[in-house]
Amino acid sequence: MVEPSTLNNPALKKTAAVMLGAFLITTSLSGCRMNFSDQHVPEVAGIVVRVVDGDTFVVDVDGKEKTVDLLNVLAPADGETPECLAPEATKNLASVLKEGDKVRLEYDDDLPPKRRENRAAAFSAGVFVNEEVAKAGFAVAEKDSPNNPYYDRILAAQNAARTDGKGLFDGSRSCTVAATVEPAIKRMKDVSKAPPVSVESANSMVSDLESIVSDGAKAKQTLANMQVTEGTAQAVVYASERAPWEKQIDQTVAAAQKRLVAVKGEQKKLVAEKKAEEKRKAELAKAAAEREAAERAAAAQRAEEAAKRQEAKDKAEASKKAEESKKAEESKKAEESKKAEESKKAEESKKAEESKKGKPGKDDHKKP
């Protein structure tokens, strides 16, 4: 007699279908399980209703709304007096968990019962949300229990954000601890390693380096005296980064001081070279001016001598012309006198001839 297959049992079929459906939902939400082999990690599935702040959201589980805090994560608190980057942290979580997204929640069974119900790791569309917000720099790793199954991954994401200078580690955001020290460090990196090529560039470099030394000392003092609220994300950043940042500041100031000594040496050399060059140019300009003056004087003297020669020439020519004119006048007068004499003689001769013709001769009286 053959035993009936267990798959033909209606009750078992229903149970198998429910289990398969749960498995498919869990698989679609998680992408891949965290799988802590030696830890009991309960889980539930739900739908995102809304984001509250950088590490808190509301989820619908079986028709009931439930507030969830991300496990092993601490983000800046939002509210009436938002902490540094709190609004940005809220927007960041809202970009990862959108309204209507399916989400799988995993819990740390080592937490006390009252905290266990609302602190969880969240997975959505294959994204580990706790890790994602830390990677963006808008949350830091926080230990919640002796187990802390997610802490190491979140801490690694936090360190990646620090390396990349994101969020709470962004020195360009004025409210962060990083803003106290990173500007001086960045400015030192921007100082050219090449020697200055002019007095002006040396002066500018000396000014920059002196400012970096001064700002570095102020930044270290500010960092030492900084007051942060205990239990905040900013406090975690301050506690973990103060020592490395102080070391960076010391290294930056030492490098700036060393570079300053070298640049001042170059500055002194460039100033001496500039003065020598200015003196050489002044001497060349003076010599050129003297040559020009001598040339102008020589030219003036030549012009004066030429003018005198021309004046003498003009006088000689004028005298010659006057003499020639006088001679011509005298010649003209002599000619006119000669002509007048000749005319007078001709007139007299004519009169004499006429007189001679007009008198009766001896033979005229003898005619009948």
Side-chain angles (χ1 to χ4, degrees):
M1 184 175 177
V2 179
E3 291 291 334
S5 170
T6 55
L7 294 177
N8 291 325
N9 187 315
L12 291 176
K13 281 184 177 182
K14 183 176 180 181
T15 302
V18 171
M19 291 177 67
L20 177 61
F23 171 77
L24 291 174
I25 290 174
T26 301
T27 303
S28 67
L29 291 174
S30 64
C32 60
R33 281 282 312 258
M34 295 290 290
N35 290 329
F36 297 96
S37 58
D38 59 341
Q39 298 157 359
H40 176 53
V41 184
E43 63 179 70
V44 298
I47 303 296
V48 175
V49 177
R50 63 183 176 277
V51 167
V52 178
D53 58 25
D55 58 12
T56 308
F57 63 99
V58 177
V59 64
D60 183 309
V61 178
D62 296 331
K64 294 182 179 180
E65 289 191 359
K66 179 178 182 179
T67 299
V68 178
D69 291 331
L70 294 176
L71 188 62
N72 293 135
V73 164
L74 177 62
D78 212 339
E80 291 184 5
T81 309
E83 294 176 16
C84 175
L85 301 187
E88 291 84 348
T90 302
K91 289 179 183 178
N92 177 66
L93 181 57
S95 71
V96 179
L97 287 179
K98 298 179 178 64
E99 182 180 345
D101 284 354
K102 295 178 181 179
V103 63
R104 177 169 61 82
L105 305 174
E106 290 186 3
Y107 295 88
D108 183 355
D109 210 26
D110 281 352
L111 282 171
K114 289 185 178 180
R115 297 190 67 201
R116 185 188 311 153
E117 291 300 317
N118 68 345
R119 292 188 72 78
F123 300 85
S124 180
V127 174
F128 181 21
V129 178
N130 307 48
E131 181 181 51
E132 196 70 17
V133 294
K135 190 186 297 182
F138 292 112
V140 293
E142 180 184 46
K143 290 184 177 180
D144 288 314
S145 74
N147 184 16
N148 295 305
Y150 314 96
Y151 179 80
D152 289 341
R153 280 188 63 174
I154 296 168
L155 181 61
Q158 172 187 318
N159 291 336
R162 178 186 61 191
T163 301
D164 295 338
K166 292 181 177 180
L168 292 164
F169 302 93
D170 185 352
S172 67
R173 297 176 182 267
S174 60
C175 68
T176 64
V177 181
T180 304
V181 297
E182 287 195 355
I185 294 171
K186 183 180 183 301
R187 284 175 57 202
M188 183 60 197
K189 290 178 181 178
D190 291 341
V191 174
S192 174
K193 292 180 174 60
V197 295
S198 66
V199 172
E200 291 72 23
S201 63
N203 291 343
S204 177
M205 201 174 291
V206 165
S207 177
D208 285 344
L209 289 166
E210 288 176 340
S211 177
I212 290 169
V213 170
S214 175
D215 290 350
K218 291 177 183 176
K220 186 174 181 180
Q221 188 65 36
T222 300
L223 192 62
N225 297 334
M226 185 173 288
Q227 300 293 321
V228 292
T229 304
E230 189 176 351
T232 64
Q234 192 84 315
V236 173
V237 173
Y238 181 71
S240 65
E241 302 304 316
R242 176 181 171 179
W245 272 329
E246 284 181 340
K247 184 178 179 180
Q248 276 189 290
I249 291 172
D250 289 341
Q251 290 173 343
T252 297
V253 170
Q257 288 172 332
K258 183 179 179 180
R259 184 87 175 98
L260 185 58
V261 171
V263 173
K264 281 186 173 180
E266 292 291 333
Q267 181 189 42
K268 185 176 180 180
K269 181 181 176 182
L270 288 166
V271 168
E273 289 176 352
K274 184 177 182 180
K275 286 182 178 179
E277 180 64 15
E278 288 174 348
K279 182 179 179 182
R280 187 184 69 82
K281 287 181 178 179
E283 289 174 349
L284 289 174
K286 181 180 178 182
E290 288 175 349
R291 283 197 303 272
E292 186 179 351
E295 288 172 359
R296 283 199 303 268
Q301 186 175 358
R302 289 193 297 271
E304 185 179 356
E305 290 174 351
K308 286 180 179 179
R309 287 195 299 271
Q310 185 63 42
E311 185 180 2
K313 183 179 178 182
D314 291 344
K315 284 182 178 180
E317 289 179 354
S319 178
K320 182 179 178 182
K321 286 181 179 180
E323 185 65 26
E324 289 175 350
S325 178
K326 182 179 179 182
K327 287 181 178 180
E329 185 66 26
E330 290 175 349
S331 176
K332 181 180 178 183
K333 286 181 179 180
E335 185 65 25
E336 289 176 349
S337 178
K338 181 179 178 182
K339 285 181 179 181
E341 184 66 26
E342 289 176 350
S343 177
K344 181 179 179 182
K345 287 181 179 181
E347 184 66 26
E348 289 177 349
S349 177
K350 181 180 177 182
K351 287 181 178 180
E353 187 65 28
E354 289 176 349
S355 176
K356 184 178 178 181
K357 287 181 179 181
K359 292 178 177 181
K362 294 177 179 183
D363 292 335
D364 292 339
H365 297 285
K366 294 180 177 180
K367 289 181 181 181

